[in-house]
Amino acid sequence: MTQQGTLGVAVIGTGRMGADHVRRINDVISGARVAAVVDIDAERVKAIAGGIEGCAAYTDPAQAMADPGVDAVLIASPGPAHEAALLAAFEQDLPVLCEKPLTPDAASALRVLEAEQKLGHRRVQVGFMRRYDREYLKLKALLASGELGRPLMLHNRHRNASVLPGFTNAMLINDSVVHEMDVTRWLLDQEITAVTVLRPKASGNAPEGLDDPQFVIFETDGGALVDVEINVSCGFGYQVQAEAVCESGTARIGDIHDLLVNTAGRWGGTIAPDFVERFEDAYDRQVQAWVDATRRGEVTGPSTWDGYAAAAVCEAGVRAQAEGHRVEVELIDRPALYGS
Ligand code: ISE
């Protein structure tokens, strides 16, 4: 570590999330600096590095990881590039924060899981940032307290105002519903065992080729049922809500993430336009927690096991969606490195 223990971070991928993380490390959180930026677009990466003191520009992730100023890696490149970047980081035994998805399918996630086990210690925190959102944290604490009894059902709504052209039915599962897969496993402390996907007649606002919205159902090994409305062309903003129905009560988050105003015979607030704004605090806390843990020599937060489990549920979800029937999740036994 350089500069009085400041963590030198290489940010790999400078698209929307990568660029936002560069800003966050530079301007928002403490204890870290951007030591290198990596992108296949050489001009872009040079321009970004040029604006940050002591920051090097690379087009090859492995070269950036060999830079002596780099102590840790934040992977924000597209999902298909994650496996190679993770394996390169393991070769240098560098701590990693990897944006979701860990990798795009269960087989590659399993290879990463096996490679980390060969290292003999955890190195990866997966970027399931909802685990750092204040509202989700309150819901988790309430459920864990047992005050409401056993959770029976979770109802989730996941709405995006719109998506970019080219967004596919499989992406609804792999890019969007993957968040509910992770929060379900985390909130309930249970594994998802089966997935069913139903769909109403598509909205007239759905982009060409996308069956939107869809209704996804998970079954868990603790006997809970979970539903997710995924609706990525709702038009009115970005909205994420979750309600737990338990034996002795219910608890719900996501209704008002903002100021509530009463005026002129109406009441209401605003809805965030997108996930970068809605989950801004959660992203900040996630990266700060990673930096703090790394500086203490620890690895905390969602693990490679969580990334692999989500990939396995995604695989079942995409099959359930394509084949129109319930599909069981295939999961290996949890390795000792990831606890019981
Ligand atoms: C996007 O990739 C995300 O991760 C967002 O959190 C999610 O709401 C959105 O639907 C995805 O496309």
Side-chain angles (χ1 to χ4, degrees):
M1 262 176 266
T2 51
Q3 297 182 2
Q4 286 121 25
T6 302
L7 192 74
V9 179
V11 178
I12 301 180
T14 58
R16 179 138 197 238
M17 281 318 301
D20 198 44
H21 285 315
V22 167
R23 176 196 60 80
R24 175 168 292 111
I25 294 169
N26 260 331
D27 306 339
V28 183
I29 65 153
S30 60
R33 68 181 193 97
V34 182
V37 279
V38 186
D39 202 291
I40 44 170
D41 182 340
E43 290 310 310
R44 178 172 169 80
V45 88
K46 247 190 258 159
I48 295 174
I52 304 169
E53 206 191 315
C55 178
Y58 293 95
T59 51
D60 175 11
Q63 271 180 13
M65 292 182 209
D67 184 318
V70 169
D71 309 304
V73 184
L74 193 161
I75 301 176
S77 46
H82 288 188
E83 181 181 1
L86 284 158
L87 297 181
F90 291 168
E91 255 166 46
Q92 308 276 341
D93 204 8
L94 289 171
V96 183
L97 174 59
C98 181
E99 267 297 338
K100 53 75 41 181
L102 177 68
T103 63
D105 55 76
S108 51
L110 193 54
R111 289 195 289 272
V112 173
L113 191 77
E114 281 162 0
E116 191 177 41
Q117 286 174 82
K118 276 200 193 117
L119 275 183
H121 45 245
R122 278 189 56 193
R123 268 307 188 206
V124 181
Q125 175 178 328
V126 181
F128 285 125
M129 81 298 182
R130 289 195 192 175
R131 295 191 187 199
Y132 297 86
D133 175 64
R134 265 189 220 292
E135 293 175 71
Y136 271 109
L137 282 164
K138 279 190 189 163
L139 182 57
K140 168 78 179 160
L142 181 61
L143 295 180
S145 76
E147 209 181 309
L148 300 187
R150 184 166 53 85
L152 308 170
M153 291 189 282
L154 283 179
H155 304 301
N156 300 278
R157 298 188 191 87
H158 185 162
R159 299 176 179 145
N160 291 210
S162 61
V163 283
L164 293 172
F167 204 88
T168 62
N169 281 331
M171 287 166 82
L172 278 183
I173 302 291
N174 292 332
D175 284 28
S176 302
V177 179
V178 65
H179 285 292
E180 277 75 20
M181 293 169 182
D182 183 63
V183 291
T184 294
R185 297 182 58 256
W186 173 68
L187 285 173
L188 301 182
D189 211 4
Q190 295 173 18
E191 291 297 352
I192 297 171
T193 51
V195 186
T196 306
V197 180
L198 305 171
R199 39 189 130 172
K201 183 172 180 204
S203 158
N205 299 324
E208 183 73 32
L210 190 68
D211 301 319
D212 188 53
Q214 298 191 16
F215 190 76
V216 184
I217 302 163
F218 309 144
E219 294 161 53
T220 74
D221 61 0
L225 264 191
V226 179
D227 61 81
V228 186
E229 169 201 316
I230 180 67
N231 180 353
V232 299
S233 34
C234 77
F236 57 75
Y238 183 78
Q239 200 172 48
V240 166
Q241 298 171 333
E243 181 178 39
V245 178
C246 306
E247 290 170 308
S248 313
T250 70
R252 172 168 163 146
I253 58 164
D255 290 292
I256 311 162
H257 188 70
D258 197 18
L259 200 63
L260 185 61
V261 178
N262 301 302
T263 184
R266 294 173 69 87
W267 65 272
T270 55
I271 302 174
D274 61 25
F275 49 90
V276 172
E277 193 170 304
R278 163 64 182 83
F279 285 111
E280 185 181 4
D281 295 358
Y283 284 117
D284 290 351
R285 263 192 297 278
Q286 166 190 254
V287 178
Q288 186 69 69
W290 174 65
V291 167
D292 292 348
T294 304
R295 292 175 79 209
R296 292 193 307 269
E298 293 172 14
V299 182
T300 57
S303 66
T304 306
W305 169 256
D306 296 312
Y308 158 72
V313 182
C314 280
E315 207 155 283
V318 171
R319 267 191 56 208
Q321 186 189 52
E323 297 171 12
H325 58 80
R326 172 184 181 275
V327 173
E328 292 189 358
V329 177
E330 286 173 31
L331 208 61
I332 64 159
D333 289 339
R334 188 195 286 243
L337 183 60
Y338 306 100
S340 53

